[in-house]
Structures are given as structure tokens and as C-alpha cells.
Amino acid sequence: MSLLQAVICGIFYYLNAGPWVIGAGYYTFGKPLLLGFMVGLVLGDPITGTIIGATIQLIYLGVMSTGGSYPADSALAGIMGTAAAITTGLSATEAVAIAVPIGLIGTALYQLRMLSAVPFTHLADKYAAEGNTKKVFLANVLYPQIILAAIYIIPCTLACYFGVNAISGVVDALSGSAILSALSVIGGILPVIGIAMNMKAIFKGDARCFFFVGFILVVYLNLDLIAISALALIFAILYMQLKSSSDEKEAAVK
């Protein structure tokens, strides 16, 4: 990986946390699926990048950041896992096994980001008391974003530039060994955990029947993902319309 490619990956990591991608950020741009495609595009293999990013995404299906908690940094895991896999020739499952600990390390950067914003909050209060709206804007927007860019871009760039090359050397040294086979097995298990966490959240009440409908469509009718997604959207719309009509009738009776 060249230095320029590493810097671009670092910018991707920053954009997932910054406010500049309007309507996106953490909830879309920060997901391994999209970041895998973007990193693959930079490295000249967007198809492999998308496949690896989608595989890493499975781990984080049920992971949510609530109440300020941040259990894992899926963005950093997606970027580093995809970059390592494309550069070193790892399989998607092997990349997953590498991405998970990287995602845990990324939580330290998130905490540092939160701490770095505290002084600017007090600075903004000071400028607000003085009635200086221009400096309030600088304290609320410009200064924190400069610090955030440094916190996210620099470590990610260094990790991509030096870390991926280091991983490449380790992979070459372990080529054909049982360790890589173990990583592949572990990587194949981890996505199942993400799917199970997601099912725990959605497998409730009336939503249960939709899971079995989807299972039948995949296993017995062999429909592809696009067809299943279209049918799922139709089922969801019909369900919401019927439920709304039922609720209105119950309200009228009461």
C-alpha cells in the first residue's frame, strides 16, 4: 500500500465520524460494507473490497452505540480488514479474524475523541458569555474537527501504511501453517455471532413469521438478494398498512 492510499483510507475513517458527509456519517458511510467498497476502490479491487466489507459487516449487525457506549469500532475494522485482505491475499473469513481486535482497539480512539471535545465546550461557553458568535462557531465546529481529523486520520494512515505491510510479512511467514487455517475457522464463526445478536433483537412478536418466510424464499425458491429485498419491502409495507388499519378500528371501537 502506498502512502497516498493510506492517507485516503485515513480520510475515509475521519469522514465516518465527522459531519461532512451530509445524511450519512456513522450510520451509512461508517459501515464496513461501504468502507470495504471504498477501500477496494482505492486499492484497485472494489469487488473484493465489497465482499470482505460485507463479511466484516455481519459481525456488527447487532452492535449498537447507546448511551455513549462504543463496544467496537466497525469503521476501523472494515478499513483495516479490507486493506489487509486485498494487500496480502487473505480470504474474507481470515480478514474477519484480523478485523475484530482492530475494531476493539478503535474504541480507544473514540474515547480520546470524546475527551478532546470537552475543552472546546467550555471555550464555547466563554465566547457565548462574551456574545462573540463567530468564536462560538469556531469552538463548536472548526477547532473540534481539526482535532478529530488528527485523532482519526494520523493513526489510521500509519496503521494502513505500516500495519498492512507488517501483516503481509506475517502472512508470508505463516503461509501454509495451521495458524492461518485457525484464523479462517474463527473468521467463519464470528459472523454467526453478529447474525445471532441481530436475530435476538428482531425475533419478537409478529416479526417472527417474516424470518421463516425469508428462510423459505432463500432455501427452497433460490431467490437472490435483490428479489428477497424487494419482497421484504413489499411485505413490510403491507404489514404496516394492515396494522395501521387494525389499530384505527380498535380505536374507533373504544
Side-chain angles (χ1 to χ4, degrees):
M1 176 181 283
S2 69
L3 180 59
L4 178 59
Q5 290 172 326
V7 170
I8 294 173
C9 289
I11 293 172
F12 288 158
Y13 184 44
Y14 162 67
L15 289 177
N16 111 88
W20 311 118
V21 183
I22 305 300
Y26 169 78
Y27 295 100
T28 52
F29 192 81
K31 299 305 178 184
L33 174 60
L34 183 53
L35 286 172
F37 167 74
M38 299 297 291
V39 172
L41 201 61
V42 171
L43 296 178
D45 194 351
I47 295 177
T48 301
T50 303
I51 293 171
I52 295 168
T55 306
I56 295 173
Q57 179 74 67
L58 292 174
I59 309 171
Y60 300 102
L61 285 176
V63 175
M64 294 179 290
S65 177
T66 55
S69 66
Y70 200 62
D73 192 337
S74 60
L76 186 61
I79 291 172
M80 290 295 298
T82 303
I86 293 177
T87 305
T88 62
L90 292 173
S91 67
T93 52
E94 291 166 344
V96 165
I98 293 174
V100 170
I102 292 173
L104 294 175
I105 294 172
T107 58
L109 294 177
Y110 175 81
Q111 298 301 330
L112 181 59
R113 167 195 175 186
M114 294 292 103
L115 288 172
S116 70
V118 174
F120 298 114
T121 303
H122 297 297
L123 189 61
D125 290 338
K126 175 186 174 183
Y127 292 144
E130 296 173 357
N132 193 330
T133 56
K134 183 178 180 180
K135 288 188 176 181
V136 169
F137 171 81
L138 293 176
N140 274 329
V141 179
L142 184 60
Y143 300 155
Q145 289 306 311
I146 292 174
I147 299 300
L148 177 61
I151 291 173
Y152 272 41
I153 293 177
I154 294 174
C156 185
T157 298
L158 293 176
C160 287
Y161 187 64
F162 294 106
V164 170
N165 292 333
I167 292 172
S168 178
V170 173
V171 170
D172 291 339
L174 297 177
S175 181
S177 68
I179 296 177
L180 284 182
S181 299
L183 285 176
S184 181
V185 173
I186 293 170
I189 295 172
L190 289 173
V192 178
I193 299 174
I195 294 172
M197 292 174 64
N198 195 44
M199 284 186 61
K200 184 179 180 181
I202 66 174
F203 198 69
K204 298 176 181 177
D206 297 338
R208 294 178 181 178
C209 64
F210 293 108
F211 169 78
F212 294 106
V213 171
F215 179 82
I216 292 171
L217 292 175
V218 173
V219 176
Y220 294 102
L221 299 182
N222 295 319
L223 296 179
D224 59 26
L225 187 59
I226 295 176
I228 293 173
S229 299
L231 287 173
L233 178 61
I234 294 171
F235 289 153
I237 293 173
L238 290 174
Y239 172 78
M240 292 304 298
Q241 289 177 340
L242 292 172
K243 191 174 187 305
S244 176
S245 177
S246 176
D247 291 342
E248 288 177 359
K249 288 181 180 178
E250 290 181 4
V253 171
K254 292 180 180 179

